[in-house]
Amino acid sequence: EEMLRAKVNVEALKKAKVFPFRLYTAYRAVARDLERKDRKVLAYLADVMDEYSRSYDWSEFAEAKWVVAPDISGSMCSSIGASLVLTYAAVSAMFAGFFVKGLKDVTVLPWNRKVHRYTVSSEEPVMKHIDAITSMVEGGTYMEAGVKYMLANRIEADYSVFLTDTMEYGTGWLT
């Protein structure tokens, strides 16, 4: 456990230029391996993810209104590369969780054919955001859903971040 804390901490990860989604990959790998399943290790990795998001310098973005719109369509379940645990949905959800934890004024609009309700707060760990968003994944992709929802509900934002794999079927942005 001491060796884990010495090697896996925010400062060491930033110095090594490790992307934060690698923490999630490690978390899922440990959770999947039944022989090595260790709740202390899982809790520690989840804590480091939260610390990573809090340690980021959000000052450039802090005064703005944000919309983060992760794609939750079925194609987002696809694995990234040869990974057995890392999906597009998980990376998208992790970034949404980081934004929610790091910034004050963030609206999260998970979408597939329509926008879905999202109620996880900034007080919750990043892993809870990942689990909440990835559990919604299903259905087709209608890329205008988030924009149409924002217009219909008069949601204003200084910045909008749409996270998608761009696998769209039917009519939409790509047509």
Side-chain angles (χ1 to χ4, degrees):
E1 191 174 325
E2 220 174 284
M3 189 168 74
L4 175 68
R5 290 183 190 280
K7 291 187 177 198
V8 181
N9 59 65
V10 173
E11 290 74 31
L13 294 171
K14 284 182 178 180
K15 184 177 179 183
K17 296 186 173 138
V18 173
F19 289 114
F21 66 80
R22 292 296 180 207
L23 289 169
Y24 175 78
T25 304
Y27 181 95
R28 286 294 175 219
V30 170
R32 189 189 72 221
D33 187 349
L34 297 177
E35 292 176 21
R36 290 183 37 205
K37 196 171 191 176
D38 184 342
R39 294 283 169 207
K40 287 181 188 176
V41 172
L42 290 176
Y44 179 73
L45 290 171
D47 289 345
V48 172
M49 262 193 279
D50 289 342
E51 186 182 338
Y52 205 113
S53 68
R54 285 190 301 268
S55 72
Y56 185 80
D57 180 6
W58 294 98
S59 60
E60 282 187 54
F61 312 114
E63 300 305 316
K65 288 184 180 181
W66 288 81
V67 167
V68 178
D71 179 352
I72 56 167
S73 64
S75 63
M76 294 293 283
C77 286
S78 298
S79 294
I80 296 176
S83 174
L84 298 175
V85 295
L86 189 61
T87 64
Y88 295 106
V91 172
S92 176
M94 184 188 58
F95 280 107
F98 280 169
F99 273 82
V100 171
K101 286 198 76 61
L103 297 168
K104 292 178 188 163
D105 196 354
V106 179
T107 300
V108 178
L109 303 175
W111 58 275
N112 50 22
R113 292 176 306 269
K114 64 180 185 173
V115 170
H116 297 263
R117 187 177 163 158
Y118 187 78
T119 57
V120 179
S121 79
S122 63
E123 301 301 314
E124 299 291 348
V126 172
M127 278 306 302
K128 182 139 186 183
H129 293 277
I130 294 171
D131 290 342
I133 291 171
T134 57
S135 72
M136 296 176 170
V137 174
E138 68 171 3
T141 310
Y142 184 58
M143 291 181 72
E144 292 99 316
V147 173
K148 286 185 173 189
Y149 184 89
M150 288 173 67
L151 291 170
N153 292 283
R154 298 179 189 258
I155 297 172
E156 294 181 13
D158 297 309
Y159 300 99
S160 299
V161 179
F162 286 76
L163 302 156
T164 181
D165 62 355
T166 68
M167 297 296 285
E168 182 174 28
Y169 302 97
T171 61
W173 292 114
L174 300 180
T175 346

